[in-house]
Amino acid sequence: MVVVGAVMVIFWPTLFFNQLKSMMILSEESTSFSIWREVPIPMYLECYMFNITNVDEIIARTAKTVQVEQLGPYIFRESHTKVNLSWNDNSTITFYNQRYWHFEPSMSNGSLTDSITSLNPIVVTIAYFMRHSHPLIKVTVDVFLRTLHEHMFLSAPVADWLFNGIDDPVLRIVEHFPDLPINIPYDKFGWFYERNGSREYDGIMLMNTGASDFSKLGNIEKWKYSNTTMYRDECGEVRGSTGELWAPEMGQSEVTIFAPDICTYMNLAKNETVSVLGIEGMMYIANDSVFDNGYRYPRMACYCDEVRDENCLPPGALNVSSCRFGAPAFVTRPHFLRMDSYYPSKISGLNPSEDMNFRLALEMYTGMPLTVSAQLQINLLVRHIGGITINNQLPDADTLMPMFWFRQEVRMNEEYARLARFALNLRYYIPVGFYALTGIGVILLSVGIWIILRKLLRTPETTPILSGASQEDVSVTER
């Protein structure tokens, strides 16, 4: 018992880790496969829309700032399914991530028929495309836009802004002129238009299964057949996990998530220990280095052009125009949380709070996600452009306009928590059993030695060396 217990105590961490690997390395037989292929944990997408409340004052040129109110959340139940799986010989798997969203009226604060007034993204995008064109061309574009739109604002139901799409006459006309420099591949505009149920929207991914190197489990190695994106240098590398599958994170100072929506990755920094359903983990959050653009963190400078120009915004906003078909789209944290004050000061009605930050909690020994709260805000940059007057109606000539923000919420449920607890119990309590086995063995061995010594100590000193029969033989011999 002492030997078995001691040996198992020494080798159990290795045995446990090997068992964990066999469960987590992605294969058609592994425990992790069914969970990864179709995530069983409830997921929700919460959308918050920014409604402009002083459009009349803006058009009348009497407004000093743009006033917005937040409406929502409009909550959708989300499901992920990995489709078109191809297992490769180099310990990778190729797949598409097919996602579906279903509106949950009972969980939402509002209806999909709610009317939202905001900027017309088509007008803003065309003006942005034409900003460097000849003045005569810009005036012509302005006349063209004004024949179709009275101003740069648009009112539409939430359903159209998000999934159904807004039918804009400009898009129908642009469709007939494929040689134009404007590349908008949709017949309608919507933030998630043609995305619900789409197989290709997120792009094809090549992910490491962890079979050759367990530490690379879940890492995206290629996206859309390439290991780089449109950003330059280090910022253009395809790296990190999509957030569903992680190798055990033994206290790393940061973790990396690859986000197809913004065509790049995000580094989340270690923050604090948390407990979810009784399971302890480490919380990672987006710190001030996220979207810094190199102002305070030099390694982030590659998110701007080498010759830094006006499109390299102050810290806190990432230019994703090249990722969004050339539209002047910029990503920030919700309500411009922790952003340089230059742009937030031009918008009234924002109320940032720390619970809006991007965060992820992981159980460190198994790599299981405990909770994910992926939160980002989509904004349009509107700068006054000479000749295109329809675009120059905002009070400030350089405005970053918040359009909407979303929270993708995933939280471990009780069923998934039981699986985590089982794995952790194996790690923590099995060694206790081996320690107990060793202890019992030591006690039994000690008792046995004590009994033997006691018997030896109680043996009389006068005990004859030879037995009785032998003594008689000796006496006869002596006679």
Side-chain angles (χ1 to χ4, degrees), residues 51-281:
N51 182 55
I52 301 177
T53 59
N54 64 335
V55 169
D56 293 338
E57 290 84 352
I58 294 173
I59 295 175
R61 306 288 184 178
T62 60
K64 294 183 179 180
T65 62
V66 178
Q67 295 178 2
V68 298
E69 64 174 345
Q70 175 181 285
L71 299 181
Y74 303 94
I75 299 180
F76 299 81
R77 181 168 45 85
E78 183 173 346
S79 64
H80 292 196
T81 305
K82 311 301 184 301
V83 297
N84 288 47
L85 308 183
S86 296
W87 300 90
N88 307 313
D89 294 334
N90 60 346
S91 301
T92 61
I93 182 172
T94 304
F95 65 95
Y96 288 95
N97 189 22
Q98 190 172 34
R99 298 202 268 181
Y100 291 90
W101 290 271
H102 305 276
F103 183 59
E104 295 286 350
S106 61
M107 301 175 68
S108 302
N109 181 26
S111 166
L112 292 183
T113 59
D114 292 348
S115 180
I116 302 296
T117 299
S118 190
L119 299 182
N120 186 328
I122 305 303
V123 170
V124 173
T125 298
I126 290 177
Y128 184 76
F129 266 110
M130 297 295 159
R131 66 192 185 281
H132 300 308
S133 301
H134 190 277
L136 186 59
I137 296 177
K138 288 192 282 189
V139 170
T140 304
V141 169
D142 186 51
V143 172
F144 164 71
L145 291 175
R146 282 193 173 277
T147 59
L148 299 173
H149 296 289
E150 182 180 353
H151 46 65
M152 68 183 303
F153 301 99
L154 173 66
S155 295
V158 172
D160 292 353
W161 279 106
L162 295 178
F163 288 100
N164 294 344
I166 298 169
D167 189 8
D168 192 294
V170 175
L171 289 178
R172 292 198 301 271
I173 294 172
V174 168
E175 264 188 318
H176 295 91
F177 298 92
D179 295 331
L180 289 175
I182 301 172
N183 179 26
I184 303 176
Y186 299 108
D187 60 342
K188 293 183 180 181
F189 170 81
W191 297 115
F192 301 110
Y193 180 58
E194 290 193 350
R195 187 170 187 177
N196 203 345
S198 171
R199 186 193 68 174
E200 292 86 4
Y201 195 96
D202 280 351
I204 190 168
M205 299 187 188
L206 180 73
M207 188 187 75
N208 199 301
T209 63
S212 298
D213 185 347
F214 188 47
S215 66
K216 295 181 178 179
L217 173 68
N219 285 356
I220 300 299
E221 298 192 353
K222 286 187 178 181
W223 176 58
K224 295 184 177 180
Y225 302 103
S226 176
N227 59 4
T228 60
T229 65
M230 64 286 301
Y231 300 105
R232 65 183 179 90
D233 301 335
E234 174 186 347
C235 300
E237 295 178 4
V238 174
R239 64 165 75 166
S241 168
T242 56
E244 297 166 328
L245 199 61
W246 299 85
E249 303 295 330
M250 303 301 184
Q252 283 88 332
S253 59
E254 64 179 26
V255 295
T256 304
I257 289 183
F258 183 77
D261 285 326
I262 59 176
C263 305
T264 188
Y265 59 87
M266 297 174 61
N267 291 322
L268 306 182
K270 187 187 226 179
N271 181 246
E272 61 182 357
T273 57
V274 295
S275 178
V276 179
L277 295 179
I279 301 172
E280 287 194 356

Side-chain angles (χ1 to χ4, degrees), residues 244-387:
E244 297 166 328
L245 199 61
W246 299 85
E249 303 295 330
M250 303 301 184
Q252 283 88 332
S253 59
E254 64 179 26
V255 295
T256 304
I257 289 183
F258 183 77
D261 285 326
I262 59 176
C263 305
T264 188
Y265 59 87
M266 297 174 61
N267 291 322
L268 306 182
K270 187 187 226 179
N271 181 246
E272 61 182 357
T273 57
V274 295
S275 178
V276 179
L277 295 179
I279 301 172
E280 287 194 356
M282 179 59 64
M283 180 69 76
Y284 290 86
I285 65 169
N287 62 15
D288 288 341
S289 69
V290 174
F291 312 146
D292 176 75
N293 299 327
Y295 285 89
R296 301 187 186 98
Y297 298 83
R299 65 186 177 88
M300 306 294 289
C302 48
Y303 282 112
C304 292
D305 292 334
E306 286 192 76
V307 178
R308 299 170 73 87
D309 57 16
E310 60 181 4
N311 294 321
C312 187
L313 267 56
L318 176 65
N319 186 346
V320 294
S321 58
S322 56
C323 178
R324 297 290 101 188
F325 311 108
F330 287 75
V331 172
T332 65
R333 284 177 282 192
H335 287 249
F336 294 144
L337 174 66
R338 295 191 187 178
M339 186 183 177
D340 183 274
S341 61
Y342 176 75
Y343 284 111
S345 64
K346 303 176 183 186
I347 308 294
S348 299
L350 299 179
N351 186 27
S353 59
E354 286 300 321
D355 65 349
M356 295 176 177
N357 203 1
F358 198 115
R359 57 187 186 271
L360 161 73
L362 295 175
E363 199 291 311
M364 305 305 290
Y365 291 105
T366 62
M368 290 183 177
L370 302 181
T371 179
V372 179
S373 189
Q375 307 178 84
L376 293 173
Q377 180 171 298
I378 308 301
N379 314 272
L380 291 178
L381 180 64
V382 183
R383 286 177 172 154
H384 287 191
I385 299 171

